[in-house]
C-alpha cells in the first residue's frame, strides 16, 4: 500500500462509519466492518470497551429521531511496518430530538483514532471524540 492509498481507505472508513450511524441499520455484526473486537471508545459520556463500545454507540444514536454526522479535514499518519495508523478529523454532528420545543442538539467536535490494518482493511481500535462546542438541548442521559 502507498501512503496515499492508506489515507484514502481510512478517510473512506470515517465516511462509511458516519453514514452507517445516520442510517441506523444496526444488524448483528454491523460493527465488524468498522471496529476491531477490542475497540475502545472514549466519549464525553464515558469510556467503553469491546461489545460495550458498539452497544454504547447504538444507544447514543438511538437517543435521537435523526442524526447527521459530517467529517472534514481527515489527517492520517500510517506506520506501514506495523500495520497501524493514527487519524484525526473535525466533525459536525446534528441531532434531532424525538420531541420537545427545542428539537436540535448540535456538536462541533474533534475525533482521534488509532487503527489497525486487518485482512479486511483498516479498522478502528481506539476512537475518542471531544466536544469543542455545543448548541441546543443535550440528550437526557440514563442515570448510573
Amino acid at each position: 500500500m502507498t501512503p496515499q492509498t492508506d489515507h484514502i481507505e481510512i478517510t473512506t472508513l470515517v465516511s462509511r462509519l458516519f453514514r452507517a450511524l445516520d442510517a441506523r441499520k444496526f444488524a448483528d455484526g454491523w460493527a465488524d466492518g468498522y471496529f476491531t473486537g477490542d475497540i475502545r471508545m472514549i466519549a464525553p459520556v464515558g469510556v467503553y470497551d469491546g461489545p460495550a463500545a458498539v452497544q454504547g454507540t447504538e444507544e447514543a444514536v438511538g437517543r435521537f429521531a435523526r442524526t447527521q454526522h459530517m467529517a472534514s479535514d481527515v489527517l492520517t499518519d500510517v506506520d506501514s511496518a506495523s500495520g497501524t495508523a493514527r487519524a484525526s478529523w473535525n466533525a459536525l454532528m446534528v441531532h434531532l430530538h424525538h420531541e420537545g420545543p427545542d428539537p436540535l442538539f448540535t456538536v462541533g467536535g474533534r475525533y482521534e483514532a488509532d487503527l489497525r490494518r486487518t485482512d479486511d482493511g483498516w479498522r478502528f481500535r481506539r476512537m475518542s471524540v471531544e466536544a469543542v462546542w455545543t448548541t441546543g438541548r443535550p440528550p437526557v442521559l440514563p442515570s448510573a
Side-chain angles (χ1 to χ4, degrees), residues 1-3 5-7 9-10 36 78-85 114-125:
M1 297 280 170
T2 67
T5 301
D6 289 324
H7 176 78
E9 289 179 3
I10 291 168
T36 61
V78 176
D79 182 345
S80 297
S82 68
T84 61
D114 295 329
L115 297 96
R116 182 181 310 134
R117 184 180 298 135
T118 71
D119 291 340
D120 297 318
W122 288 103
R123 297 295 184 266
F124 297 108
R125 59 179 275 266

Side-chain angles (χ1 to χ4, degrees), residues 26-38:
F26 301 127
D28 287 343
W30 76 271
D32 296 342
Y34 305 97
F35 308 118
T36 61
D38 61 347

